[in-house]
């Protein structure tokens, strides 16, 4: 006779969060927010590549664009009701601003 498998203790909480957030995640604003976050990540990667070759102007342009994308993503997350998730974007925005200071972009 086999014993039934027990689910991890946090499983009911995770399931409830997914059930409640599921409709919000499917909203166009939330999908757009994820797209903006992905674009910002790509721009930061491009800025690092430009820094390697020494093109400071392009580094500053890409970092400025990445900052704009993160701010757009934060606004879109607020629109779709996931304002709590936008808290994670604060650290990303902070690191972009630090990179801009490092390269003396402002």
């Amino acid at each position: 006779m086999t014993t039934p498998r027990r689910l991890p203790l946090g499983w009911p909480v995770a399931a409830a969060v997914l059930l409640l957030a599921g409709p919000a995640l499917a909203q166009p604003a939330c999908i757009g927010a994820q797209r903006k976050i992905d674009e910002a990540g790509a721009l930061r990667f491009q800025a690092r590549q430009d820094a390697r070759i020494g093109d400071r102007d392009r580094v500053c342009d890409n970092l400025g664009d990445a900052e704009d994308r993160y701010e757009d993503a934060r606004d879109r997350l607020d629109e779709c009701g996931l304002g709590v998730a936008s808290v994670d974007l604060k650290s990303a925005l902070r690191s972009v601003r630090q990179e801009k200071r490092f390269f003396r972009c402002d």
Side-chain angles (χ1 to χ4, degrees):
M1 181 175 187
T2 62
T3 58
R5 294 180 61 186
R6 290 184 177 232
L7 295 173
L9 192 56
W11 184 83
V13 174
V17 169
L18 286 177
L19 287 174
L20 293 174
L25 292 174
Q27 291 180 5
C30 291
I31 294 169
Q34 183 59 47
R35 187 174 302 126
K36 293 291 183 180
I37 292 169
D38 293 342
E39 289 174 8
L43 286 165
R44 289 179 75 187
F45 176 79
Q46 185 61 44
R48 286 191 298 272
Q49 298 302 315
D50 292 333
R52 285 182 184 170
I53 61 173
D55 193 348
R56 188 179 146 292
D57 292 332
R58 285 194 47 141
V59 169
C60 292
D61 289 342
N62 286 326
L63 290 176
D65 290 343
E67 183 178 19
D68 294 340
R69 297 300 194 293
Y70 279 131
E71 290 172 354
D72 290 343
R74 185 182 58 207
D75 294 341
R76 288 181 185 216
L77 284 172
D78 286 339
E79 287 174 14
C80 72
L82 292 177
V84 173
S86 68
V87 172
D88 291 336
L89 294 178
K90 286 183 181 180
S91 63
L93 277 166
R94 190 177 313 116
S95 65
V96 168
R97 290 177 183 138
Q98 287 173 347
E99 291 170 11
K100 286 175 71 173
R101 266 186 258 130
F102 178 79
F103 288 106
R104 297 182 184 132
C105 294
D106 292 329

